[in-house]
C-alpha cells in the first residue's frame, strides 16, 4: 500500500487545463486526466501533484487524445462537472468504465442540459425507452438511480426521476467505442426485437428477468462490441458450433432469423459461430420458459 502511495506521490503536472483539471502521467507511463478542486491553481508543468487533492483519475481509452478529452472537460460547466465526478464515486460506480473520461463528459453534458431545461421551466422529458432500459439493462438502471440521487445532492434544482433512464443509457454506452448514444439506442431496439422474435417463434411469454434471458441479453451486448471491433467469433465452423446446430435445429433457425435482423439493422453479417452461440442462448430461454409452463 505504501508503495502504491509513493507512486501516486510522484505524479507530476504535464499540462494545466484549468484550475480544477490537469494532465499528468501515472505510474505505468499513461497520460491521465486528474480532477480536483484547485488542482491546477498556480500549478506548473513538472510540479508534483498532491494525491490527496485528486478527486478522480480518468484514463483515456480507445486511442483517444488525452489533450482533446481534457479540453472537453474544461468546456463543461465546472460546478456540474464536479457534481458528476463526485457523484460517480458516491454512487459506487467502481468498474472499468468509471475511469473513462468519455463517461464523465457525456453524463456531465447531459446533466448540464437537463439543469438548463429545468431552470427555464421547460417540461421534463419522458424517455420512451424506460421500460426497455429497466428490463434489458437492470444493473445499469440500478446504478443510474443511485447516480441520479447522488447528483441531486449536489445540484439545484433537483433533476426528475425520469433522468435515470438517460443516465442508464450513458452507462451502457460507456462499454462501446461509439461516442454518442445513437448506437446504444439502436442496440436497445434490436435486443427488444430479438426477444419478441424468440417469443413469437416458440409461442412463449418470455420472462425478461429470468437468468436465461439475462444471459442472452449480456451475450448480445458483447456480440455488438465484437461487431464494432470487427472481432466476431469465427473458428471456421467449429465443432462446438456444428454440435449446437445439430442438437437445437429450431433454435438455430430462430438464431438465423436474429442474425438477419442484426445484418439489416447494423450492416454486419454474423459468422456461423456467432449464429450457433445465439442458438444456444435461444434454446436455453425456450427451455426455461417451457419449464415454467409459459
Amino acid at each position: 500500500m505504501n508503495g502504491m502511495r509513493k507512486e501516486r506521490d510522484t505524479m507530476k503536472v504535464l499540462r494545466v487545463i484549468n484550475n480544477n483539471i490537469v494532465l499528468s502521467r501515472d505510474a505505468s507511463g499513461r497520460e491521465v486526466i486528474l480532477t480536483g478542486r484547485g488542482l491546477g491553481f498556480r500549478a506548473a508543468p513538472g510540479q508534483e501533484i498532491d494525491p490527496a487533492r485528486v478527486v478522480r483519475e480518468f484514463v483515456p481509452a480507445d486511442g483517444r487524445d488525452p489533450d482533446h478529452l481534457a479540453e472537453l472537460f474544461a468546456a463543461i460547466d465546472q460546478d456540474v462537472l464536479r457534481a458528476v465526478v463526485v457523484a460517480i464515486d458516491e454512487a459506487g460506480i467502481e468498474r472499468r468504465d468509471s475511469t473513462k473520461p468519455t463517461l464523465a463528459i457525456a453524463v456531465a453534458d447531459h446533466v448540464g442540459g437537463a439543469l438548463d431545461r429545468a431552470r427555464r421551466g421547460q417540461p421534463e422529458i419522458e424517455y420512451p425507452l424506460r421500460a426497455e432500459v429497466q428490463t434489458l439493462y437492470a444493473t445499469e438502471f440500478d446504478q443510474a438511480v443511485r447516480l441520479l440521487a447522488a447528483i441531486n445532492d449536489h445540484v439545484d434544482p433537483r433533476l426528475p426521476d425520469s433522468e435515470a433512464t438517460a443516465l442508464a443509457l450513458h452507462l451502457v454506452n460507456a462499454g462501446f467505442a461509439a461516442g454518442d448514444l445513437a448506437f446504444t439506442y439502436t442496440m436497445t431496439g434490436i435486443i427488444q426485437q430479438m426477444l419478441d422474435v424468440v417469443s413469437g417463434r416458440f409461442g412463449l411469454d418470455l420472462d425478461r428477468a429470468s437468468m436465461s434471458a439475462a444471459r442472452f441479453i449480456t451475450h448480445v451486448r458483447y456480440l455488438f462490441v465484437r461487431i464494432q471491433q470487427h472481432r466476431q467469433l469465427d473458428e471456421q465452423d467449429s465443432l462446438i458450433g456444428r454440435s449446437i446446430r445439430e442438437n437445437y435445429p429450431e433454435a438455430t433457425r430462430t438464431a438465423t432469423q436474429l442474425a438477419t435482423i442484426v445484418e439489416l439493422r447494423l450492416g454486419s453479417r454474423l459468422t456461423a459461430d456467432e449464429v450457433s452461440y445465439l442458438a444456444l442462448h435461444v434454446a436455453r430461454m425456450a427451455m426455461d420458459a417451457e419449464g415454467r409452463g409459459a
Side-chain angles (χ1 to χ4, degrees):
M1 185 72 175
N2 290 336
M4 289 179 63
R5 181 59 181 259
K6 188 174 181 181
E7 287 178 347
R8 287 290 301 270
D9 287 345
T10 60
M11 295 180 76
K12 296 181 179 180
V13 174
L14 293 180
R15 180 185 169 203
V16 176
I17 306 301
N18 63 24
N19 285 343
N20 306 307
I21 304 170
V22 301
L23 197 63
S24 183
R25 199 182 301 277
D26 66 9
S28 65
R30 298 176 303 181
E31 289 191 3
V32 294
I33 301 167
L34 306 179
T35 66
R37 187 185 290 273
L39 196 61
F41 182 66
R42 293 185 177 176
Q47 181 178 320
E48 289 193 5
I49 298 169
D50 179 2
R53 299 177 65 189
V54 177
V55 173
R56 195 79 179 175
E57 177 180 318
F58 293 99
V59 183
D62 305 320
R64 295 175 183 267
D65 178 32
D67 284 274
H68 176 64
L69 289 170
E71 293 290 353
L72 291 177
F73 266 118
I76 298 170
D77 181 289
Q78 295 303 288
D79 289 334
V80 172
L81 178 61
R82 185 161 46 248
V84 167
V85 169
V86 171
I88 287 175
D89 271 334
E90 293 178 345
I93 302 176
E94 292 297 339
R95 57 180 188 166
R96 176 177 57 85
D97 295 335
S98 70
T99 64
K100 285 186 176 181
T102 47
L103 173 61
I105 290 168
V107 171
D109 182 64
H110 177 85
V111 169
L115 286 171
D116 184 60
R117 290 194 300 273
R119 288 165 183 159
R120 292 172 181 268
Q122 296 177 350
E124 67 179 79
I125 296 176
E126 287 297 332
Y127 296 96
L129 293 176
R130 179 183 176 88
E132 288 85 350
V133 171
Q134 197 166 358
T135 301
L136 301 181
Y137 315 125
T139 298
E140 285 85 359
F141 188 81
D142 288 343
Q143 289 178 328
V145 170
R146 296 199 305 272
L147 179 58
L148 179 61
I151 289 172
N152 276 334
D153 286 340
H154 300 282
V155 299
D156 185 40
R158 293 174 62 83
L159 298 179
D161 293 344
S162 59
E163 290 298 338
T165 301
L167 294 180
L169 286 169
H170 280 295
L171 291 172
V172 172
N173 192 55
F176 296 92
D180 56 53
L181 288 179
F183 186 82
T184 302
Y185 275 109
T186 299
M187 178 184 72
T188 302
I190 294 174
I191 294 176
Q192 189 63 50
Q193 186 178 0
M194 292 169 93
L195 289 170
D196 289 342
V197 166
V198 175
S199 295
R201 187 93 183 203
F202 289 90
L204 300 169
D205 181 16
L206 291 177
D207 179 7
R208 264 61 165 176
S210 69
M211 183 61 71
S212 57
R215 286 173 177 162
F216 173 80
I217 293 166
T218 298
H219 176 81
V220 173
R221 288 175 60 176
Y222 281 108
L223 166 61
F224 290 149
V225 171
R226 292 193 293 275
I227 289 173
Q228 275 204 324
Q229 297 176 345
H230 306 289
R231 297 174 61 182
Q232 287 191 50
L233 300 175
D234 190 3
E235 298 297 328
Q236 298 300 317
D237 199 21
S238 67
L239 179 62
I240 294 176
R242 290 200 301 274
S243 176
I244 292 171
R245 292 194 293 274
E246 290 170 2
N247 284 284
Y248 305 108
E250 184 59 29
T252 298
R253 284 189 285 273
T254 304
T256 301
Q257 186 177 351
L258 302 184
T260 300
I261 291 171
V262 173
E263 183 175 359
L264 289 173
R265 298 289 296 276
L266 298 182
S268 297
R269 190 170 195 172
L270 298 191
T271 64
D273 278 335
E274 292 288 8
V275 174
S276 296
Y277 285 112
L278 274 178
L280 181 60
H281 282 283
V282 168
R284 285 174 174 169
M285 280 195 295
M287 286 187 289
D288 183 42
E290 288 172 351
R292 289 185 294 102

